[in-house]
Amino acid sequence: MEIRTRDIATTDRIESSFSDMPYLRAANGERLAVPPVWLMRQAGRYLPEYNEIRRRHDFLAVCNTPELACEVTLQPIRRFGFDAAILFSDILVPLVPMGANLRFDKGHGPQIDNPVRTAAEVDKLRRIQPREDLPQVLEAIRLIRSKLPAQTALLGFAGAPFTLAAYWVEGGKPQPFANLMRLVYGDRPTFKSLMKKLADMVANYLTAMIESGANAIQLFDTWAGVLSESQFREINLPFVREIFDRLSSKQVPMTYFVHGGMHLLAAIKETGCSVVSLDWRTPFDEARSMMGPSISLQGNLDPTVLLGGEEMIRGEVRRVVDEGNQRGGYIFNLGHGILPTTPIDSVHVMLDEIRNGRSQK
Ligand code: CP3
């Protein structure tokens, strides 16, 4: 069944099933006078209440304890009333039951002590069962959904295979990708076998998240922007498409995010996603004309704008809303995660401009 509201001339039945969640209405193609808004990394270090919890618990403990993950997920919803909550976790969490020794060291970002670089290492990776291997994440989703306001959508998420492979093959922050690309060009069968295992894990994991109460999902392919369009089509597109294919029967919005993916729009369209999350360098009109009316857009305020003064923030937010919300199918977000140094007042100014700003129609 087709669920995009604009394609079926907004029948009452479909309309009512989305009417209480602005996020779902916009993701399904409707135009709302005030677009729904949430922010990537909306739970995190710019919030004093998050830092308070982090003083007492390490990052992975927060991810792996349903009550703490739930509390941290709800913090930005209480403070700002965002239209979507995103599960508090990390894209690297499901790599642990597959066999990764993952650490988050202060100031260094993620580190994986046992990188996978050989066929033998890829062969050894465990095929996980989300319900048995990641029950704490699914429990967090159930708990969060039970506590969220009815109109707030809950988003599940995962890293895309290429981005997960980048961290695991490099053993941490991927740049400059020497080990990963050595696998891509020097041992294609092993690279493909790794991508296949990761794609299978991601599809199962996101399915379990939806079945546990997530109303939509987002797939983060942060590092895919380093690939040219032809590389992307050859080594990434088939795996991303397989994930969205396997999820499509669940009929929830599926968002795909590539950081620095402007040159990949034509290929991104072929992934089968229903929403594309744009970074700040990608103009809406280009994305719209490439994606057509059946794919919704999310984005794309430069996160550094929130470090500026009030007038600057209002002007930039207004420009983004006016461009993004010209057509149906628009969700306000940043072009990448909110920075830990962002003043909370800037988020209030941003929201005031979106919700009460001058050219609201
Ligand atoms: O968006 C949210 O509020 C939900 C939670 C979330 C986190 N990470 C929490 C987090 C989500 C959706 C992610 C996704 C993620 N994680 C991505 C893809 C999106 C993107 O930002 O490009 C990537 C590449 C990662 C890997 C990762 N996790 C890195 C590189 C780092 C260190 C860099 C940094 O920002 O500190 C993390 C740590 C991390 N993930 C933190 C949070 C809140 C900071 C941990 C802390 O409290 O010290």
Side-chain angles (χ1 to χ4, degrees), residues 5-6 10 14-15 18-38 82-84 151-153 288 296-297 318 320-332 353-357 359-361:
T5 50
R6 74 180 136 235
T10 58
I14 298 292
E15 192 60 9
F18 293 127
S19 59
D20 44 358
M21 287 197 198
Y23 172 91
L24 292 184
R25 288 168 58 185
N28 282 286
E30 245 185 89
R31 183 177 182 281
L32 307 187
V34 174
V37 50
W38 70 281
F82 290 128
D83 296 287
Q151 75 278 11
T152 312
R288 285 259 182 241
S296 297
L297 299 181
R318 181 49 42 201
V320 167
V321 172
D322 286 347
E323 288 174 19
N325 209 28
Q326 255 171 30
R327 305 264 179 82
Y330 172 61
I331 298 154
F332 185 96
E353 188 59 37
I354 297 168
R355 291 169 175 165
N356 309 308
S359 62
Q360 193 197 127
K361 290 180 230 84

Side-chain angles (χ1 to χ4, degrees), residues 35 58 102 111 310:
D58 80 31
L102 173 67
Q111 311 226 281
E310 172 162 354

